[in-house]
Amino acid sequence: MVTLLGAVFIPLAIFCFLAQPFYLLPLLLISSLFEVASVFNGTIGNFIFGLSPFYFVELLIAIRLVLILRKNGSVLPPKNSPARPLAILLVWFWGWSVISSFVMPRLFSGISVYSPREGLDIELTALAPLTWSLSNLAQAGYLTLNVAVVFYAVLSVKGVTKSKVLSNALYLAVCIASIAAVIQIFAATLGLSYPYDIFNNNPAYAQGFEEDIGNYHRITSTFGEPSGAGSFLAAVAIGLLAQYFSQKHSLTCLLYFFVVSLLLLATTATTGYAEFCIASILLIAYWYLFRIKKEQRRSRSKVWLLVAGLVGVAGVIIHYNPLFLETMSAVTIEKSDSLSFLHRLTSDAYALLIVKDTWGLGVGLGSNRPSSLIPAFLSTLGILGTLLFVLIIYRVIRLYPGKKGPSYLQLSFWAFLTILIGGAIGVPDINRPTLWALFCVAVAQLSAYSTSYALALKDMQGYVRVPNVSLEGDTGITPAN
């Protein structure tokens, strides 16, 4: 059965596929917001499934990539492209991950694991024995689509114009998530209904939109649970803050940053809070900590005024809303005493034992589910798979031009870096849609910028400055031989 989201996304995606293939990428970025929604629900026997809008759009992009492969014989960037080393690493990572999903569950059959379908809130004595399952096949398929989209984006995004189209799509995604969060807040406050049947209608995913603490209804926006919404909002908030610094304190960026940050506060998501704090410290330290010139002290003081303003607004909200303060306490200070928190720590610790018991190879992609991303990588893809992913992130950072890069690059790069931090704290999904969507945008934009910059340098090398000093003191530029 086609859902309401399907009635929107399916025609749009098919139109883009046939007439405007590049615009599948902006559509993909928007579709990543609906992590636990579907465009089509169905059954095969006793098996109930839902097709996510994100993976539906990815499937069409993968078909487009196959057409490029048939035409060009390769989907790797050219040898002189700055993105080629990253692309090669991504191929190796994909290959190892897919192999692991089929080989490791059979090689280490019977080892106790946290089954991805059972969740974390189980005792160690109730763990499932490792066997190959459809979860392994599904995760390998999702990763294949994710990697294909990254290659398609790198090949399709050329120049500033298309890079800015992706940035505009990211702004639109932020607006959609923000508007949904505001509507949800008003609905919960006024006792009105919220369209969960649109955003939370995929029967194949766990839904956490009914996570209330006392009388406070936690905000999920378009996501499946508060932690997903909090992690995404924290990522784009830091991206907007980086853009604010890059654009010499644009008032528009500052306004967006405040709105998204306050909506992050409303999610009461511990993961989002911690992610935001760590990333903001890293960003401010990178941008201002080592700037010691006297004329730059004023810029630094503006940063502290911004932080003070955000803290002040949050303080007013908490002071005049005691219920929200109690909820904040429950998800932060008191959370360490909860049984759920103990289960999460246990699952991460047990993931490290899995690494030891499998000689560092892991139990295969899709075989184990701890509570955070690093243990997920280590326990499923082993040391080699984790190292390959770390090298990929290293290559992304190498492509980052630093403070001299345009503002749209600051937004996508820092948003991607921040959502990675959130994953390391408490979001274990290796194939998480928003993670790969931000990765796709960041890599495509960085590749396009680096390629343009390299071509500009190559053109400049056609001229060499030669000090042709005459008696009159003239100098000149002569063409290189």
Side-chain angles (χ1 to χ4, degrees):
M1 179 183 70
V2 176
T3 66
L4 183 59
L5 273 180
V8 175
F9 274 100
I10 291 176
L12 275 176
I14 292 176
F15 172 78
C16 292
F17 175 81
L18 296 175
Q20 297 287 340
F22 169 75
Y23 284 91
L24 285 169
L25 292 173
L27 188 62
L28 179 76
L29 184 57
I30 295 170
S31 69
S32 69
L33 300 177
F34 308 100
E35 291 185 336
V36 292
S38 63
V39 295
F40 182 86
N41 291 329
T43 58
I44 301 176
N46 294 326
F47 181 72
I48 302 174
F49 69 91
L51 179 59
S52 162
F54 181 77
Y55 293 119
F56 175 71
V57 177
E58 278 200 326
L59 183 61
L60 296 181
I61 293 176
I63 295 173
R64 274 290 174 183
L65 187 68
V66 171
L67 296 178
I68 293 175
L69 178 62
R70 290 186 60 184
K71 179 180 179 181
N72 299 338
S74 174
V75 294
L76 287 174
K79 292 184 178 180
N80 59 350
S81 171
R84 187 176 176 88
L86 187 153
I88 293 173
L89 283 171
L90 199 56
V91 170
W92 279 102
F93 172 75
W94 168 79
W96 170 257
S97 300
V98 172
I99 290 171
S100 76
S101 69
F102 288 94
V103 174
M104 302 310 171
R106 294 179 171 88
L107 182 62
F108 300 108
S109 178
I111 289 181
S112 297
V113 295
Y114 279 84
S115 172
R117 292 185 175 271
E118 296 297 329
L120 298 175
D121 295 329
I122 56 176
E123 301 291 340
L124 283 174
T125 55
L127 298 182
L130 176 63
T131 58
W132 188 88
S133 69
L134 290 178
S135 292
N136 300 103
L137 178 63
Q139 292 300 315
Y142 295 153
L143 183 64
T144 300
L145 292 176
N146 289 332
V147 171
V149 165
V150 175
F151 277 94
Y152 182 79
V154 170
L155 294 174
S156 301
V157 179
K158 305 292 184 183
V160 175
T161 301
K162 288 187 175 181
S163 290
K164 288 188 174 180
V165 169
L166 290 185
S167 292
N168 291 335
L170 182 53
Y171 293 138
L172 181 57
V174 174
C175 288
I176 292 172
S178 300
I179 292 171
V182 170
I183 293 173
Q184 190 177 19
I185 291 171
F186 277 105
T189 303
L190 302 176
L192 304 176
S193 61
Y194 182 74
Y196 292 109
D197 55 338
I198 296 177
F199 304 138
N200 304 81
N201 61 355
N202 195 324
Y205 291 89
Q207 307 288 346
F209 59 86
E210 294 182 346
E211 294 186 14
D212 295 350
I213 298 180
N215 294 322
Y216 183 82
H217 185 71
R218 303 181 69 192
I219 302 304
T220 57
S221 183
T222 60
F223 296 83
E225 57 184 5
S227 63
S231 179
F232 175 77
L233 291 173
V236 294
I238 296 301
L240 290 167
L241 185 59
Q243 193 172 42
Y244 169 73
F245 292 158
S246 176
Q247 290 185 340
K248 297 181 180 179
H249 305 139
S250 163
L251 183 60
T252 303
C253 284
L254 182 61
L255 179 61
Y256 287 161
F257 168 73
F258 266 97
V259 171
V260 174
S261 299
L262 293 176
L263 292 175
L264 164 63
L265 189 67
T267 65
T268 65
T270 310
T271 298
Y273 293 170
E275 175 185 337
F276 178 86
C277 290
I278 294 172
S280 60
I281 291 171
L282 289 175
L283 175 62
I284 293 173
Y286 171 76
W287 214 272
Y288 290 105
L289 185 61
F290 301 107
R291 299 176 69 174
I292 57 176
K293 294 181 180 179
K294 292 182 179 179
E295 61 269 19
Q296 294 169 340
R297 290 178 181 174
R298 182 176 301 176
S299 296
R300 189 182 300 181
S301 66
K302 289 182 179 179
V303 174
W304 295 119
L305 285 174
L306 183 151
V307 173
L310 186 61
V311 172
V313 172
V316 170
I317 294 174
I318 293 173
H319 177 74
Y320 287 101
N321 193 342
L323 180 61
F324 182 72
L325 181 59
E326 293 175 7
T327 305
M328 287 273 292
S329 176
V331 299
T332 54
I333 300 172
E334 298 174 12
K335 186 172 183 178
S336 60
D337 298 328
S338 67
L339 185 60
S340 176
F341 181 74
L342 178 61
H343 283 310
R344 291 177 181 276
L345 285 181
T346 303
S347 68
D348 283 345
Y350 187 75
L352 301 181
L353 290 178
I354 289 178
V355 179
K356 172 179 172 292
D357 292 341
T358 58
W359 308 310
L361 295 175
V363 290
L365 181 65
S367 295
N368 185 59
R369 183 182 172 83
S371 70
S372 54
L373 195 59
I374 296 175
F377 269 105
L378 288 170
S379 63
T380 58
L381 302 181
I383 296 173
L384 177 59
T386 305
L387 179 61
L388 286 170
F389 190 76
V390 169
L391 290 175
I392 289 170
I393 303 306
Y394 169 74
R395 296 305 310 188
V396 173
I397 295 173
R398 284 287 303 271
L399 288 175
Y400 176 56
K403 301 171 188 176
K404 67 180 180 181
S407 62
Y408 65 83
L409 271 186
Q410 309 297 341
L411 171 63
S412 60
F413 174 79
W414 282 97
F416 167 64
L417 201 64
T418 304
I419 208 167
L420 269 180
I421 295 172
I425 295 170
V427 186
D429 299 327
I430 293 175
N431 284 309
R432 183 184 177 192
T434 47
L435 171 64
W436 282 91
L438 290 176
F439 177 60
C440 176
V441 174
V443 170
Q445 290 182 337
L446 288 169
S447 173
Y449 178 82
S450 300
T451 301
S452 300
Y453 187 73
L455 290 174
L457 284 179
K458 185 177 180 180
D459 291 340
M460 290 178 63
Q461 287 174 356
Y463 294 91
V464 178
R465 186 174 296 276
V466 179
N468 295 328
V469 180
S470 65
L471 294 176
E472 290 78 21
D474 297 324
T475 60
I477 300 176
T478 62
N481 296 326

